[in-house]
Amino acid sequence: MNTKLHAICDSQGRPIDLFVTAGQVSDYIGARALLSGLPNVKWILADRGYDADWFREALQDKGIRACIPGRKKRKKAVKYDKRRYKRRNRIEIMFGRLKDWRRVATRYDQCPKVFLSAIALAAVVIYWL
């Protein structure tokens, strides 16, 4: 009944790649799906849901530095750049602007493919036209 939207955005908060999962699914599934589509960048900003050792190692293998705060239950604290992490608000603003479209906010579409198409259409109109 509910879904999670995972997105890769550029430095200005414009979506580059989108992926939809079921609401009860972990964020790791979305991270694994979007990992191959990551552009060649120096840094990645993500929230606590994406904090996993395997994800950090995969980013490091690609030459990307992770700015992801550690989960609260993590035994060993992870250091991250707090000043850089504040720029993550651009991603939250992007999600908010997508939800301004009523079709996206209320999820009229039952089929995930049609719902993702509606999100992609909204993103193209808002950010790329």
Short mmCIF file of all heavy atoms in Angstrom, two decimals, residues 2 6 17 25 54 60 63 67 79 81 95 104-105 115-116 120:
data_model
loop_
_atom_site.label_atom_id
_atom_site.label_comp_id
_atom_site.label_asym_id
_atom_site.label_seq_id
_atom_site.Cartn_x
_atom_site.Cartn_y
_atom_site.Cartn_z
N ASN A 2 2.06 1.20 0.51
CA ASN A 2 2.91 2.39 0.51
C ASN A 2 4.22 2.08 -0.22
O ASN A 2 4.55 0.93 -0.46
CB ASN A 2 3.17 2.89 1.93
CG ASN A 2 3.81 1.84 2.79
OD1 ASN A 2 4.16 0.77 2.34
ND2 ASN A 2 3.96 2.14 4.05
N HIS A 6 13.54 6.20 -4.00
CA HIS A 6 14.98 6.39 -3.87
C HIS A 6 15.43 7.18 -5.09
O HIS A 6 14.97 6.92 -6.20
CB HIS A 6 15.71 5.05 -3.82
CG HIS A 6 15.18 4.14 -2.77
ND1 HIS A 6 15.64 4.16 -1.48
CD2 HIS A 6 14.22 3.19 -2.80
CE1 HIS A 6 15.01 3.26 -0.77
NE2 HIS A 6 14.13 2.65 -1.56
N ASP A 17 18.34 9.73 -11.36
CA ASP A 17 17.88 8.35 -11.42
C ASP A 17 16.88 8.14 -10.29
O ASP A 17 17.08 8.63 -9.17
CB ASP A 17 19.07 7.40 -11.28
CG ASP A 17 18.76 5.99 -11.74
OD1 ASP A 17 17.61 5.74 -12.17
OD2 ASP A 17 19.65 5.14 -11.66
N VAL A 25 10.22 -2.29 2.77
CA VAL A 25 11.52 -2.79 2.35
C VAL A 25 12.62 -1.86 2.87
O VAL A 25 12.44 -0.65 2.94
CB VAL A 25 11.59 -2.90 0.82
CG1 VAL A 25 12.97 -3.28 0.34
CG2 VAL A 25 10.58 -3.91 0.32
N TRP A 54 28.82 -2.48 3.79
CA TRP A 54 28.98 -2.92 2.41
C TRP A 54 28.76 -1.76 1.44
O TRP A 54 29.41 -1.69 0.40
CB TRP A 54 28.05 -4.08 2.08
CG TRP A 54 26.59 -3.71 2.06
CD1 TRP A 54 25.71 -3.82 3.10
CD2 TRP A 54 25.86 -3.16 0.97
NE1 TRP A 54 24.48 -3.37 2.71
CE2 TRP A 54 24.54 -2.96 1.41
CE3 TRP A 54 26.18 -2.81 -0.33
CZ2 TRP A 54 23.54 -2.43 0.60
CZ3 TRP A 54 25.18 -2.27 -1.15
CH2 TRP A 54 23.89 -2.11 -0.68
N GLN A 60 33.57 3.33 -1.79
CA GLN A 60 35.02 3.53 -1.75
C GLN A 60 35.69 2.86 -2.94
O GLN A 60 36.66 3.39 -3.49
CB GLN A 60 35.56 2.98 -0.43
CG GLN A 60 36.98 3.39 -0.15
CD GLN A 60 37.40 2.94 1.24
OE1 GLN A 60 36.81 2.05 1.84
NE2 GLN A 60 38.44 3.56 1.75
N GLY A 63 35.64 5.07 -5.76
CA GLY A 63 36.36 6.32 -5.56
C GLY A 63 35.47 7.45 -5.07
O GLY A 63 35.80 8.62 -5.25
N CYS A 67 29.28 10.70 2.72
CA CYS A 67 28.90 11.62 3.79
C CYS A 67 27.55 11.12 4.31
O CYS A 67 26.49 11.64 3.97
CB CYS A 67 28.81 13.04 3.26
SG CYS A 67 28.47 14.25 4.55
N LYS A 79 32.60 8.83 11.32
CA LYS A 79 32.79 10.27 11.12
C LYS A 79 32.26 10.67 9.75
O LYS A 79 32.40 9.94 8.78
CB LYS A 79 34.27 10.62 11.23
CG LYS A 79 34.81 10.46 12.62
CD LYS A 79 36.25 10.92 12.68
CE LYS A 79 36.79 10.74 14.09
NZ LYS A 79 38.16 11.22 14.21
N ASP A 81 31.28 14.55 7.38
CA ASP A 81 31.42 16.00 7.28
C ASP A 81 30.06 16.65 7.53
O ASP A 81 29.17 16.62 6.67
CB ASP A 81 31.95 16.36 5.89
CG ASP A 81 32.29 17.82 5.75
OD1 ASP A 81 32.05 18.59 6.70
OD2 ASP A 81 32.80 18.20 4.69
N PHE A 95 12.16 16.17 -3.10
CA PHE A 95 11.05 15.28 -2.78
C PHE A 95 9.79 16.10 -2.49
O PHE A 95 8.68 15.72 -2.88
CB PHE A 95 11.38 14.38 -1.58
CG PHE A 95 12.29 13.24 -1.93
CD1 PHE A 95 13.51 13.10 -1.30
CD2 PHE A 95 11.93 12.29 -2.86
CE1 PHE A 95 14.36 12.05 -1.60
CE2 PHE A 95 12.76 11.23 -3.18
CZ PHE A 95 13.98 11.11 -2.54
N VAL A 104 1.34 12.37 -7.49
CA VAL A 104 2.47 11.75 -6.80
C VAL A 104 2.20 11.69 -5.30
O VAL A 104 2.47 10.68 -4.65
CB VAL A 104 3.77 12.53 -7.10
CG1 VAL A 104 4.92 12.01 -6.28
CG2 VAL A 104 4.09 12.46 -8.58
N ALA A 105 1.67 12.76 -4.73
CA ALA A 105 1.47 12.83 -3.28
C ALA A 105 0.44 11.83 -2.79
O ALA A 105 0.60 11.22 -1.73
CB ALA A 105 1.05 14.24 -2.89
N PHE A 115 3.20 4.42 -11.41
CA PHE A 115 3.53 5.42 -10.40
C PHE A 115 4.91 6.01 -10.64
O PHE A 115 5.10 7.23 -10.58
CB PHE A 115 3.45 4.79 -9.01
CG PHE A 115 3.77 5.73 -7.89
CD1 PHE A 115 3.04 6.89 -7.71
CD2 PHE A 115 4.80 5.46 -7.02
CE1 PHE A 115 3.33 7.77 -6.67
CE2 PHE A 115 5.10 6.33 -5.98
CZ PHE A 115 4.36 7.48 -5.81
N LEU A 116 5.89 5.17 -10.95
CA LEU A 116 7.23 5.67 -11.26
C LEU A 116 7.22 6.53 -12.52
O LEU A 116 7.93 7.53 -12.60
CB LEU A 116 8.21 4.50 -11.41
CG LEU A 116 9.67 4.88 -11.65
CD1 LEU A 116 10.21 5.71 -10.49
CD2 LEU A 116 10.51 3.64 -11.84
N ALA A 120 8.50 10.33 -12.77
CA ALA A 120 9.47 10.74 -13.79
C ALA A 120 8.93 11.90 -14.63
O ALA A 120 9.66 12.84 -14.93
CB ALA A 120 9.82 9.55 -14.69
#
